[in-house]
Amino acid sequence: MQAFGSGAMTNSIDEIRDADCIFITGSNTAEAHPVISYEVVRAVKGGANLIIVDPRRTPLVDHATLYLQPHPGTDIYVFLAMMHIIIREGWLDEDLIQSETEGFEAYSEIVKDYPPERAALISGVPEDQIQLAARLYALGERAYGDSHYQDARGHSTILYAMGITQRSNGTDSVMTMANMSMLCGQVGKPSTGVNPLRGQANVQGACDVGCLVNVFPGYQRVTDEKARKKLVKTWKVESLPAEVGLTIVEATHAALEGKVRAMYIMGENPMMSDPNTNHVEQAFRNLDFLVVQDIFPSETAFLAHVLLPAASSLEKDGTFTNSERRVQLLQGVIAPPGEALPDWAITSAIARQVAIKMGKDSASKQWEFSGTAEIFDELAASTPIYGGMSFDRLEPQGLQWPCPDQEHPGTPILHVGKFARGKGKFNPVEARDPAEKTDEEYPLNLSTGRVLYHYHSGTMTRRSAPLHWREPHSYAEINPEDAAVVDLKDGDDVDIHSRRGVVHTKTRISNDVPPGTIFLAFHWRESPANRLTQDFALDPVAKIPEYKFSAVRLEKPSAKRNN
Amino acid sequence: MITLTIDGKKIQIEEGTNVLEAALRNGIDIPHLCYHSDLSVSGGCRLCQVEVEGYDQPVTSCGMACAEGLVIQTQSERLTAIRRNLIDIFLADHPLDCVTCDKAGSCLLQKYAYEYGVKETSYIPIYSKTLYQDDNPFFIRDHQYCILCGRCVRVCDEIVGVHAIDFANRGFESHIATPYDGPMIDSSCVFCGNCVEVCPTAALLPVSRLKRGREWDLERVDSICGYCGVGCKIEYAVKDNEIIYAQASVQESVNGSFLCTKGRYGWDFAVNPERLTQPMVRRDLAYSLGISTENWRLPKVSPLDIDKPDVDDYFIPVDWETAYEIVSSKLVDIVKESGPDAIVGLASARCTNEENYLFQKLMRAVIGTNNVDHCARL
């Protein structure tokens, strides 16, 4: 966003199969986005190079032509060293840097301080591997076979996910990916770009339509007076709040202090998904009023004052926006159970009554809708990047934003010929280490994430019979070396302790995690991983918690504690 | 681009395309069982043979690259005889159970047998494969219907990249197997079911589909998967308000012919008995509002530490009017006492654009706070 002027996948999913070189970091693509991993497998079987940088050996590493395994938290040194090499060897795209970008001088000064020798020392990745990764990516080299494209430089694409963003320097890592793509001219063309793989069905859409504390629909800043004035008219209100609101984790802290007194939670389960669960629970108990609107009585629901039964995505129509910015139509497949209603019907009923009780009777009339098509039309009128969309244009394949007017065909590739913000900006980034440090008491690093057969807080998948059959209970992946220290065997019970709490689970002894790292998914209510994670050091810009690094130790449940 | 002629029709197609693909893309159907557009060419079934001008013998169209000026005939007396004989051979090792078969109506072997008028085999039938494997709740493997086209083997290797299955043994002993014919769960299988999707016969079927109605009685509804952010289009086969099975939609989509295990098999949460079906008020609030006479307090123990917390222990059901009245009064009271910023709204990456749009508009335009966030970072 800060680099190019837009926060989303720059390119489309079906372009991945034609890439010459694919660079994946911080994404367990085969488990978290399996259908995208199919694209990657196709490309590799056709001769593309696949570079994976990840402390954890994810399943897609089986297909990688080059696998770099940095120590947890040190990948940033590898990225900076790759760019150091690219500049030193002259593999950069000088034309693009000259004509379409700014800030190169300051950025390249900093990169000078990150030679591969330094990265190798800190990350444990051999220098020659970093050198090779830099060359393959920069020049878009293939392993074999002919390129789909005729350019002198092959097409390289970057795929990343929460592995680099759920860190106290997550924004830095994302800017580093943007810097690398601009440096090599691997942006604004098919099968290139910087592509965050988004983890939830409509996370892109929820951001697009303004469910963020600092922006209105379409990423118009709440602090921008012009944006407010425009929306005041569209929404027929007297004024709109101008101050940036509280993010999820900040809101939890504020609730603990009593500054936030009520929460309305729609389709979310912070008791499982937010960091430092014990804090979250105290905060929710401290609220004067908590409304939870959901399809199941989630762990969060048991702390609510009122539960509102919602229809699931299989039981309603509307639109989702996918990771490649494609807005697509949902259709109700079955009827919702009992009295459950679609969320839009519940929220608009609440809005009507709140408006009346606040003495805004006329405003309450704005909340009568005949259906989702009518809501979408209002949404499109308030969201410039959706401006040209309507339900009848979304069949059969949806439209990719930006789509500003009714003639616009949508935008499969961003930044073609010109960056959205005008000039692409090189943001100088220095390496920073994770916020929490390991010590003698907590010598290991815990990283959280997902497994193939479950999704997010497990509310849905753990109630699916086949998925439950395949992955019925929680487990922590532990390297044999770490397991041996506390005499743990595969399948043993284990307690994981952090400075926040303790979680009980079973071991899965595996070389897929390096020594010193424990992996625990956050799907399991019986082993809630977020009782271990920290909420004190968020990324300063994106406010993302550092789920990928918490200091922990292992204990046999029967063993007496030594400290 | 090169130009060739198929059945008298001039066709322009990019170089590297095979003749079968060129025909299919131009609405000319050549029978084929082992060929699939997304997979490598195997050429095993021989059904897609065509006449090529200048060639004495028919050629498999899947294995022939389009070349400038090529003239192809997809129908001839000789081709019909060849295809009839091939289908005849397939039927010699494939029980004609169409009257009870779950695949009837979407089985490709049945379709071609019908089109070429092959009612039964003229050979002595030998049903060589009898293995029936129902070792997992995702799909069954009923080898008697397998025609060894190899589509499942190729999709598993070439698209999914896990290579859990392959051909084992030779001749009449040939079958598709996991290593040492072990259970699916002991193989590298990821239960994505893309093998089931591409299977032309009833050899691979979703468990949820078995004996649940004929193909032509199922209603089809396309929607978008509710799990990760890829946005796969899924075609749900529905009967009497129940989902029977799910497959990749045939329409243009992000995911083409493929899905993952969650999208294809993970929809049954929707009918789990734990679903919330009516608005509910917590017992202590209900007491204070006079809706309930029982004085109750929220247990101190964390809901996470209770094995199976029961929603009825904590809440009592109310009607929607009462629920809306409680929610709106509470929110408005707090706004009046402590200002709009004392309220926080958390929206959802699992709700639609319309719902999230309305949610943030409620927070901003009605309540008057920018305290609206969702799980984008989590």
Side-chain angles (χ1 to χ4, degrees), chain A residues 38 42 45 63 200-202 210 212 246 248 261 267-268 281 305 323 328 335 339 378 396 452 464-465 525 542, chain B residues 38 157 161 227 229 231 233 241 259 262 268 277 282 302-303 338 342 347-350 357 361 364 371 373 377:
Chain A
Y38 305 162
R42 281 180 172 206
K45 299 254 175 192
H63 296 277
Q200 301 163 70
N202 197 34
L212 294 171
L246 300 172
I248 292 186
R261 293 183 53 203
E268 192 162 334
E281 178 162 351
H305 295 88
S323 207
Q328 306 192 93
E339 296 172 37
E378 186 188 313
L452 173 62
S464 165
R525 69 180 306 279
Chain B
D38 290 298
D157 176 33
Y227 286 117
K233 194 175 272 186
N241 197 37
L259 290 171
K262 293 187 285 285
D268 58 327
T277 56
R282 201 165 78 197
S302 171
S338 308
S348 176
R350 285 162 289 280
Y357 167 78
K361 189 181 165 191
R364 290 185 161 122
N371 288 344
D373 200 5
R377 304 170 182 83

Side-chain angles (χ1 to χ4, degrees), chain A residues 271 281 284-285 290 299-305, chain B residues 282 298 303:
Chain A
M271 279 288 286
E281 178 162 351
F284 286 172
R285 284 179 186 268
L290 174 61
E299 288 67 28
T300 305
F302 282 95
L303 299 172
H305 295 88
Chain B
R282 201 165 78 197
L298 179 65

Side-chain angles (χ1 to χ4, degrees), chain A residues 13 36 41 96 118 135 174 197 208-209 219 261 269 283 291 297 320 337 371 454 472 508 558:
Chain A
I13 292 166
I36 290 181
V41 170
L96 180 92
R118 185 179 174 193
R135 196 188 83 209
V174 172
L197 308 183
D208 296 347
V209 303
Y219 304 100
R261 293 183 53 203
N269 188 9
V291 190
F320 278 171
H454 289 292
R508 189 172 285 184
S558 57

Side-chain angles (χ1 to χ4, degrees), chain A residues 161-184:
Chain A
M162 292 302 202
I164 64 163
T165 57
Q166 286 178 343
R167 304 253 295 270
S168 55
N169 63 345
T171 304
D172 287 354
S173 300
V174 172
M175 290 197 293
T176 301
M177 293 298 115
N179 289 344
M180 197 152 82
S181 73
M182 278 191 291
L183 182 65
C184 306

Side-chain angles (χ1 to χ4, degrees), chain B residues 43-335:
Chain B
C45 79
R46 318 308 291 169
L47 268 185
C48 71
Q49 291 178 75
V50 292
E51 306 275 6
V52 185
E53 201 175 275
Y55 284 52
D56 289 343
Q57 296 297 321
V59 178
T60 50
S61 57
C62 64
M64 181 173 214
C66 289
E68 189 62 42
L70 218 52
V71 179
I72 306 285
Q73 286 297 332
T74 71
Q75 306 291 342
S76 72
E77 264 180 52
R78 176 162 71 162
L79 289 174
T80 301
I82 291 172
R83 288 173 189 156
R84 280 183 60 96
N85 187 39
L86 286 165
I87 295 164
D88 193 350
I89 295 169
F90 277 120
L91 294 187
D93 192 3
H94 182 103
L96 288 181
D97 291 343
C98 305
V99 288
T100 54
C101 180
D102 284 323
K103 189 80 174 192
S106 63
C107 170
L108 282 185
L109 183 57
Q110 184 193 40
K111 169 181 147 85
Y112 295 132
Y114 174 83
E115 286 175 7
Y116 285 84
V118 187
K119 192 177 169 195
E120 58 192 0
T121 184
S122 62
Y123 298 89
I124 299 165
I126 299 174
Y127 303 136
S128 63
K129 302 176 286 297
T130 53
L131 199 56
Y132 181 86
Q133 291 171 297
D134 57 349
D135 55 17
N136 71 77
F138 297 88
F139 53 84
I140 57 106
R141 292 176 282 160
D142 194 348
H143 292 258
Q144 62 179 328
Y145 299 116
C146 177
I147 55 167
L148 299 173
C149 68
R151 284 184 181 194
C152 54
V153 173
R154 279 174 283 146
V155 77
C156 193
D157 176 33
E158 296 167 12
I159 304 291
V160 188
V162 301
H163 205 158
I165 46 174
D166 210 327
F167 289 90
N169 299 338
R170 308 185 65 176
F172 274 116
E173 302 290 310
S174 306
H175 65 289
I176 307 297
T178 54
Y180 308 104
D181 269 325
M184 219 67 217
I185 197 168
D186 293 340
S187 74
S188 55
C189 176
V190 290
F191 297 100
C192 63
N194 289 316
C195 52
V196 182
E197 178 100 32
V198 298
C199 178
T201 71
L204 294 167
L205 284 173
V207 168
S208 63
R209 200 249 166 280
L210 301 175
K211 302 288 164 247
R212 294 291 300 282
R214 312 310 307 262
E215 279 289 297
W216 48 87
D217 289 334
L218 305 179
E219 193 192 330
R220 314 280 161 168
V221 188
D222 286 354
S223 195
I224 303 299
C225 181
Y227 286 117
C228 82
V230 177
C232 295
K233 194 175 272 186
I234 302 184
E235 182 191 272
Y236 296 91
V238 184
K239 195 178 163 198
D240 303 333
N241 197 37
E242 281 183 54
I243 297 174
I244 306 299
Y245 68 98
Q247 59 185 3
S249 168
V250 287
Q251 282 203 56
E252 293 277 292
S253 62
V254 176
N255 50 303
S257 312
F258 309 113
L259 290 171
C260 81
T261 185
K262 293 187 285 285
R264 191 185 302 276
Y265 299 108
W267 38 262
D268 58 327
F269 71 87
V271 291
N272 185 289
E274 286 178 70
R275 280 291 298 271
L276 293 174
T277 56
Q278 49 194 342
M280 298 185 114
V281 175
R282 201 165 78 197
R283 289 175 179 274
D284 50 349
L285 178 61
Y287 177 73
S288 72
L289 293 170
I291 302 171
S292 145
T293 53
E294 176 205 12
N295 195 353
W296 183 90
R297 289 182 72 136
L298 179 65
K300 288 218 164 54
V301 58
S302 171
L304 285 165
D305 292 324
I306 303 172
D307 185 25
K308 283 195 174 86
D310 185 347
V311 73
D312 294 320
D313 291 345
Y314 285 64
F315 296 88
I316 58 164
V318 292
D319 58 34
W320 274 109
E321 282 316 302
T322 311
Y324 288 143
E325 177 59 31
I326 297 170
V327 172
S328 55
S329 325
K330 285 278 179 189
L331 293 179
V332 171
D333 288 351
I334 290 171
V335 171

Side-chain angles (χ1 to χ4, degrees), chain A residues 82-238:
Chain A
M82 281 175 67
M83 296 189 288
H84 178 101
I85 295 165
I86 289 165
I87 295 172
R88 190 181 68 195
E89 301 290 336
W91 294 330
L92 63 180
D93 185 337
E94 285 182 47
D95 291 350
L96 180 92
I97 295 168
Q98 285 286 324
S99 59
E100 299 296 335
T101 70
E102 59 191 23
F104 179 73
E105 297 305 319
Y107 148 82
S108 59
E109 273 308 305
I110 286 182
V111 172
K112 275 192 187 140
D113 294 338
Y114 293 90
E117 300 80 22
R118 185 179 174 193
L121 203 64
I122 294 171
S123 70
V125 178
E127 271 177 60
D128 57 343
Q129 289 189 6
I130 302 175
Q131 173 94 16
L132 183 58
R135 196 188 83 209
L136 297 180
Y137 173 79
L139 305 178
E141 286 186 19
R142 299 179 67 79
Y144 59 87
D146 294 333
S147 176
H148 186 78
Y149 303 103
Q150 267 82 53
D151 306 354
R153 194 190 283 259
H155 289 213
S156 297
T157 184
I158 296 174
L159 311 181
Y160 72 86
M162 292 302 202
I164 64 163
T165 57
Q166 286 178 343
R167 304 253 295 270
S168 55
N169 63 345
T171 304
D172 287 354
S173 300
V174 172
M175 290 197 293
T176 301
M177 293 298 115
N179 289 344
M180 197 152 82
S181 73
M182 278 191 291
L183 182 65
C184 306
Q186 298 288 9
V187 64
K189 300 181 291 190
S191 307
T192 67
V194 181
N195 299 294
L197 308 183
R198 312 228 45 181
Q200 301 163 70
N202 197 34
V203 64
Q204 187 66 53
C207 295
D208 296 347
V209 303
C211 286
L212 294 171
V213 296
N214 58 340
V215 288
F216 294 125
Y219 304 100
Q220 310 174 82
R221 299 201 168 269
V222 298
T223 48
D224 175 6
E225 204 187 327
K226 264 200 280 180
R228 286 200 307 276
K229 277 192 173 157
K230 206 169 66 180
L231 276 172
V232 158
K233 270 194 201 155
T234 317
W235 289 347
K236 301 188 188 84
V237 287
E238 282 160 29

